[in-house]
Amino acid sequence: MKNKILVIGSINIDLVVYAQRHPIPGETILGDRFNTFPGGKGANQAIAAARLGGNVQMVGRLGKDTFGQALLDNLRKNQVDSQSVFQVDEPTGTALITVDAKGQNTIIVVPGANATLTKADIDQLKETIRDTKVLVLQLEIPLDVVIHAINIAYEFSTTILLNPAPAAHIPIETLRKVTYIIPNESELALLSGKETNSFVDCRQAANQLFALGCKQIILTRGEHGAYYLSPDHQIFAPPFKVAVVDTTAAGDAFIGEFAVALAEDMDLHTALLRASAAGALAVTKAGAQTSLPLKSEVEAFLKKHKQEVKSF
Ligand code: RIB
């Protein structure tokens, strides 16, 4: 059965400082603790999907340094097929993350080895993309590579999920080919050129993209829940109330579960509900890949926390 999830994206080592608050420019403050975690939006989404029961292959680049080897080992340990992950002569991608007392983060990513992925590398994977059910992409690898992968997947009618993070301008002819664009509010604002301060704003911003030919948007609004939006339909998944420790990779857990749900032909209501539960569980633990839940944890959580997902 064709159920493969292919993630083409970044693999980073996360250097994380926990502090009471974020410093302002020019200020030095004392933090509470420091930790290193395996991260990178691509690897997080791949491992999230694998832990949630997906059949996942990852495409990415790491350095030949100790971080690179540890991150590769971690992908394998989490049952992610890593035959297309290679170590190159650049440092492993690094994310400098600060998390405040409310669990909110700021992140600076230095792509390093992630930036060496090329369109020619993607050409080598045409058959793999043809045999993929759900392709998952983000923007921590070169944009021309993302666009190229989307063009190939579109020709094969592969379902394409694009998480446009970190926010960047993407050609509209590329966005039109994406099956589900999965932004947060600030990413939607950049893509549409509209404000996204309220749900009404967000709907108008989405309408702007629909008017230009985009098909479907899954909008993640953190503590305000998640939405499926299309030109003529919308579904709302209310947020789960949980104790927030660290919001890093919550969006990645959401996308990993959404990809698994699509690969398993679940309906959109169920997909949104399960993705929201995975995202909620991820914020209750520190770190990126260390916080990603297992399928059994999502299912136990959903039994305990009833939530109704509604079309409106
Ligand atoms: O989405 C969270 C991720 O963003 C972190 O793991 C960090 O590596 C950055 O890529």
Side-chain angles (χ1 to χ4, degrees):
M1 206 178 89
K2 183 176 163 182
N3 66 353
K4 186 199 284 280
I5 296 167
L6 183 68
V7 181
I8 304 178
S10 60
I11 313 167
N12 297 334
I13 185 74
D14 290 354
L15 309 179
V16 187
V17 166
Y18 293 87
Q20 287 304 303
R21 62 178 178 82
H22 297 286
I24 59 169
E27 186 187 25
T28 302
I29 61 170
L30 292 180
D32 300 329
R33 58 189 196 284
F34 168 77
N35 236 319
T36 56
F37 295 109
K41 292 184 196 307
N44 295 347
Q45 292 171 21
I47 288 181
R51 286 197 187 157
L52 294 161
N55 166 18
V56 186
Q57 182 174 344
M58 169 97 207
V59 178
R61 295 293 179 266
L62 290 160
K64 290 177 179 161
D65 41 31
T66 47
F67 287 144
Q69 191 56 49
L71 292 168
L72 182 56
D73 292 345
N74 193 52
L75 283 164
R76 291 180 178 144
K77 197 175 92 191
N78 281 282
Q79 322 299 331
V80 174
D81 176 345
S82 304
Q83 60 174 300
S84 306
V85 176
F86 298 113
Q87 290 175 279
V88 298
D89 288 324
E90 288 291 332
T92 293
T94 307
L96 297 179
I97 303 181
T98 309
V99 181
D100 71 10
K102 294 182 190 144
Q104 299 302 322
N105 62 36
T106 59
I107 305 181
I108 300 176
V109 173
V110 181
N114 295 302
T116 68
L117 206 58
T118 65
K119 293 198 304 189
D121 295 325
I122 303 303
D123 284 334
Q124 304 289 318
L125 292 161
K126 275 190 179 162
E127 283 183 19
T128 305
I129 295 174
R130 186 197 60 203
D131 296 338
T132 288
K133 183 150 181 184
V134 181
L135 174 66
V136 184
L137 297 147
Q138 323 73 29
L139 301 180
E140 288 182 344
I141 56 172
L143 183 59
D144 65 332
V145 174
V146 172
I147 292 172
H148 194 56
I150 289 172
N151 288 339
I152 293 171
Y154 184 76
E155 290 305 316
F156 290 129
S157 303
T158 302
T159 296
I160 305 167
L161 308 191
L162 175 64
N163 173 215
H169 291 286
I170 302 170
I172 191 67
E173 56 273 22
T174 297
L175 290 177
R176 280 190 199 121
K177 293 180 179 170
V178 173
T179 322
Y180 298 95
I181 305 168
I182 312 185
N184 63 17
E185 289 144 308
S186 56
E187 291 148 6
L188 178 62
L190 192 80
L191 292 182
S192 64
K194 299 254 178 208
E195 287 192 353
T196 53
N197 298 323
S198 63
F199 175 69
V200 173
D201 283 354
C202 291
R203 179 72 227 190
Q204 281 169 1
N207 287 347
Q208 167 78 15
L209 293 175
F210 295 142
L212 296 171
C214 295
K215 297 180 205 121
Q216 303 176 95
I217 294 174
I218 306 289
L219 173 65
T220 55
R221 296 190 72 216
E223 64 191 76
H224 301 298
Y227 294 81
Y228 164 83
L229 303 170
S230 71
D232 53 9
H233 192 189
Q234 50 194 28
I235 304 172
F236 175 50
F240 290 97
K241 297 264 177 289
V242 289
V244 179
V245 172
D246 180 351
T247 54
T248 310
D252 300 329
F254 180 102
I255 291 166
E257 176 62 78
F258 191 72
V260 171
L262 294 182
E264 295 180 5
D265 295 321
M266 292 181 198
D267 63 76
L268 274 175
H269 283 71
T270 310
L272 266 191
L273 179 69
R274 293 179 69 97
S276 299
L281 278 164
V283 306
T284 64
K285 290 189 187 154
Q289 287 162 31
T290 43
S291 72
L292 301 171
L294 296 167
K295 183 176 180 179
S296 56
E297 292 172 316
V298 169
E299 287 176 351
F301 182 84
L302 283 170
K303 273 196 189 132
K304 209 163 140 195
H305 300 79
K306 299 282 175 224
Q307 194 66 275
E308 214 186 322
V309 173
K310 287 186 203 148
S311 292
F312 66 105

